Amino acid sequence: MVEGSGGTTQEGTLLEEAGLTLRKEDRSQIISPEERQDLENRLQILLARIPPEKDSPLESLPRKAFEYAMQAHSGQWRVSGEPYITHPLTVAEIVTDLVPDRETLAACLLHDVLEDTSVNADMLRTEFGEEVAFLVEGVTNVSRIRFGMPHEKQVENLRRLLVATAKDLRVILIKLCDRLHNMRTLEALPTIKQRRIAQSTLDIFAPLAHRLGLERIKNELEDLCLYYLHPSIYRDIKHKVDERLAARLDYGRKVQNIVADVLATNGIDAEVEWRVKHFYSIFSKMQRDNKDFSEIYDLTGIRILVGTVEQCYASLGMLHGVWPPVEGRFKDYISKPKPNDYRSLHTTVLGPEGRLLEVQIRTHQMHRVCEEGVAAHWRYKERGRSSRKLGDDAVWLSQMSGLLQETRDQDEWSYSIKTDLFTDEAYCYSPKGDIIRLPAGSCPIDFAYHIHTELGDRCQGARVNGRYVPLSYQLKTGDVVEIETSKSAHPSPDWLGLVKSSRARHKIRNYLIEANREQLIEQGRLMLGRELHRLGVNPPTFFSSDACMEIMESLEIQHLDDLFALIGFGRIATKQVVMRIMKSRAREKKVEKRPIGETLKATDIDDMLYRLARCCQPVPGESIVGLVTRGRGISIHREDCTNIIKFQGDRARLIPIRWEENGQAGSQVEITVHANDRQQLLADITSVISSHAVDIRGSNTVSTDDSKAILTFTILIRDIKQLRRLATSLMDIRGVTNVSQKRGSRTIRLT
Ligand code: MN
């Protein structure tokens, strides 16, 4: 088979995926009746998977898209010899598994028509409406991004660029599935192109799939990359895996049966799956941990799927009853989900035949999110609604962008998501192909300063995408920017009105101040002098005073001349200086006042100013008192806390505080249950906790040698009364000997 002409494609672009698998010259070939029937059958299956809609005939939109794409791609063939339409059809099949909806399906079928045929976006808009045209255009824009062989430092920018260009998450889904099918059929391309495409898949698309939680797609992409990038390692791993398959299956079945039995006897309806590591994860573990194949591969894993969170924790307890857990291997991603919303309990136990067994426990819902990530959310979101506007997806995408941020330390991650992360940026290219990230609305001057100060200072004009543009031109994502310089050019004050980046603004100011320094100093000295006179302050005395030094320090200025120059330039207003003088005068005269005797609600005080004391960890409902600390706001203690007693009567330090009534925010506490170990103990305890409508945020179980169990739960309680009631009920459970609460270093009995 011949390579495609690839006339419109560039080296190193994504288009080569489509372009090179395309062969246009042989127009005599037509699709055979058998091929047509096969395509028709596949389309029928797809259409049956889409929920029917009342207002329009079930088939119309995707069917029409299919016929349209058939027509547009007629005479085009993949290098494999198949009609080109088989590619968009397969992409549609993969995407429909994740997002079964009419518009998305239509967009999948049409995703390559803008790139490879004479169809344009307006034609799509007329034929298929705004949403489908928007998606197809999005996929096409994303496909135009130049990936090539990125430098390491460009990889993250590229991922962000991809997301920024996509606007609607379905665009990324379609693009990922497009890449997946192209990876599956990469065999037909020459080796060098296979390697390039595989490398960018590994750098950009597999991590993107991972961060969107699309684990199945990620795993398949990675295995395909391994196959093309390290063929001999791939063959080696595959060979060893095949060799041991039979023995592993036997062992797996044995473990599966034991676990299923134990859970069933305890009334938990569970699905127990045998987990198979994909080749790439074996490979990367071998590399990372410098381990032998057998050390990694022989570590076997099962997955337990249950109905509820309570059952997750209960199953964990039962499992630990059958096989001893390995110290330090328990991870609770249910109470603390990973950034991509992965939730599961992980543990490692010493299984049959003394072999280590990795176990994941999660609910079916969590599992769906693990496998399908954002797509699962998307579907969930859809269920309750009849129609969806495109705007909603923008909000959703910006929420997702939080997930896309690199997070190395899972614990550091928080839900505070920067919503303007991608939407407020423009990604442009230098002529060399480097990606420059700028604030939205930036102009060529911003671009120039981003590259180099000298380039900015000498910037005279710019060409964008080969065309001359004014310096006021607003750069857009994807623009290729060339800066024209001249020896005589220099920054002008107007530039400050054009630039958007703080870097450019800062550099221009510096230039302007330096260039006119003498004049600005004189001007600033006069301006400030006038204001000081108005205040009744003698300027020379003030300029040599400590007060003046303090003010300069607070403005991060070292020399008096710099202060004058900045005032002369207008960067610092004389009013700013005068305000500071007046404030420091007021401070000297100020008598300290503090509201004493009035009762504050705990929630009245700004979050920043108070914290619950660690020594006694007060719980809503208990009598509390606020201690004024130096520089750290107010710390709230129990009234009987030993650390408070020495301040008794010190009205300057102690503030009466009470809890806000019906405050809805609960308090997180850690309780410890001591018990004589027995079967079903954990299940009984968790069911009592949930019967009190108390949320379990985390748990840990330790079994001692003398068959005692110590169970720790992190729970969310409303107030001390609820906690006491819960403790009383827990004591009623057979085998429980003690219930206590940990507060800092102390343990308090609750019963
Ligand atoms: Mn494609």
Side-chain angles (χ1 to χ4, degrees), residues 14 17-18 21 78 84 87-88 91 108 111-112 116 139 143 174-175 177-179 181-182:
L14 262 188
E17 290 177 64
T21 49
R78 305 200 86 209
Y84 192 82
H87 166 65
V91 173
C108 286
H111 84 267
D112 273 334
D116 301 325
V139 175
S143 298
I174 297 171
K175 188 62 222 174
C177 297
D178 176 42
R179 176 55 71 112
H181 184 231
N182 284 326

Side-chain angles (χ1 to χ4, degrees), residues 29-101:
Q29 259 181 282
I30 50 156
I31 295 177
S32 69
E34 292 78 22
E35 280 172 331
R36 182 71 174 98
Q37 188 54 50
D38 182 46
L39 293 169
E40 179 58 35
N41 292 343
R42 287 171 63 184
L43 181 68
Q44 286 298 338
I45 293 170
L46 264 181
L47 293 174
R49 274 153 61 184
I50 306 233
E53 302 214 4
K54 268 183 278 163
D55 54 335
S56 59
L58 166 70
E59 296 197 343
S60 60
L61 190 80
R63 155 75 62 188
K64 189 169 152 197
F66 176 74
E67 300 295 346
Y68 196 93
M70 276 281 276
Q71 185 61 39
H73 290 298
S74 69
Q76 297 179 347
W77 305 80
R78 305 200 86 209
V79 182
S80 60
E82 294 169 295
Y84 192 82
I85 188 73
T86 57
H87 166 65
L89 188 60
T90 311
V91 173
E93 286 166 349
I94 307 171
V95 173
T96 303
D97 267 345
L98 297 165
V99 178
D101 113 328

